Amino acid sequence: MAEKYYTSQELADGVGVSRSTIYRFLKVNHIEPIKSKGRSKLYDKQTFKRAQQELLLPTNQKQAPSINTKHLDQLQQQLELINEQLREKDRQIAELHQLIDHQQKLTLSATKQLNDLLALQETDPDAIKITAAEINRQLPENSTAAQILYNTPGVSYRDTNAISKSETKKKRRGFFSWLKRKKN
């Protein structure tokens, strides 16, 4: 009885894969055709069996579960590390929000006290020294706010915060407004 030969299409149909998969299998395993009939290349039964074994149950698929479990374990460890880092970042963000809230309260309180002191300076310059000493005790050491609280000799609130004299002068008006003033 004559030995049966298979074309690449018959190999693909018999194994249950596409023809491109069979071509790739033949190329990777360096399998040459046994015969050629016209433009068709023919392969023996041994090639057919080998293709069935390797393409239906690849040898690397037997090892794949152990590789997949190792890879899965690594991914799980990375995920746990990332989750831990996220929890730490969330904690840091919450702490920063608390610090910001505290800073805003302190700023609001300091602004109110400063406004009270400035108003008090206008009315009673001696009372400000007592209030400044009390606030200075509440401030931490090396604070720049303590330097602001003490009155600078020869400078009053009006001098520092009032509109400058150049801005209080009447602004020059244009030619046509001058004509209107002359008529009035």
Side-chain angles (χ1 to χ4, degrees):
M1 186 169 170
E3 189 175 346
K4 180 164 178 161
Y5 295 105
Y6 301 92
T7 63
S8 56
Q9 184 61 50
E10 290 173 340
L11 286 173
D13 292 340
V15 175
V17 295
S18 66
R19 196 165 59 189
S20 61
T21 304
I22 287 294
Y23 285 134
R24 195 176 317 114
F25 164 76
L26 295 172
K27 185 177 179 180
V28 167
N29 293 309
H30 306 291
I31 299 174
E32 296 294 325
I34 302 295
K35 287 185 175 182
S36 292
K37 185 177 182 185
R39 291 174 48 183
S40 300
K41 297 176 183 173
L42 301 175
Y43 300 93
D44 60 352
K45 192 170 187 170
Q46 188 176 9
T47 305
F48 180 75
K49 287 181 181 179
R50 185 174 172 191
Q52 275 184 328
Q53 288 176 352
E54 291 189 27
L55 293 175
L56 291 179
L57 292 172
T59 55
N60 59 2
Q61 189 177 9
K62 295 175 186 175
Q63 298 169 357
S66 64
I67 293 171
N68 285 342
T69 55
K70 288 178 185 177
H71 187 65
L72 188 61
D73 289 342
Q74 287 177 341
L75 290 175
Q76 187 68 27
Q77 289 174 352
Q78 289 176 353
L79 183 64
E80 289 172 8
L81 178 65
I82 290 170
N83 284 334
E84 183 180 325
Q85 290 174 347
L86 281 174
R87 283 190 295 273
E88 178 63 23
K89 294 294 180 192
D90 288 342
R91 186 193 62 75
Q92 290 174 354
I93 289 170
E95 186 177 312
L96 286 175
H97 280 291
Q98 289 176 347
L99 289 173
I100 289 171
D101 289 342
H102 186 66
Q103 179 63 35
Q104 287 174 344
K105 289 176 185 176
L106 287 174
T107 303
L108 185 63
S109 173
T111 304
K112 184 179 180 292
Q113 288 177 350
L114 188 58
N115 287 336
D116 292 345
L117 285 174
L118 291 173
L120 188 62
Q121 180 182 9
E122 294 296 320
T123 59
D124 188 11
D126 292 331
I128 195 162
K129 292 179 183 175
I130 297 167
T131 310
E134 182 181 322
I135 292 173
N136 193 26
R137 277 185 261 129
Q138 294 174 359
L139 292 174
E141 290 184 25
N142 300 328
S143 174
T144 57
Q147 298 168 359
I148 296 171
L149 290 176
Y150 289 107
N151 195 10
T152 309
V155 179
S156 71
Y157 172 70
R158 287 188 185 142
D159 292 339
T160 57
N161 291 329
I163 298 173
S164 68
K165 292 178 184 177
S166 64
E167 293 175 1
T168 57
K169 291 182 182 177
K170 287 187 177 181
K171 292 185 179 179
R172 297 182 70 180
R173 295 185 181 156
F175 179 72
F176 294 107
S177 63
W178 177 75
L179 282 176
K180 286 181 185 178
R181 281 186 297 189
K182 286 288 186 182
K183 287 180 183 178
N184 293 336

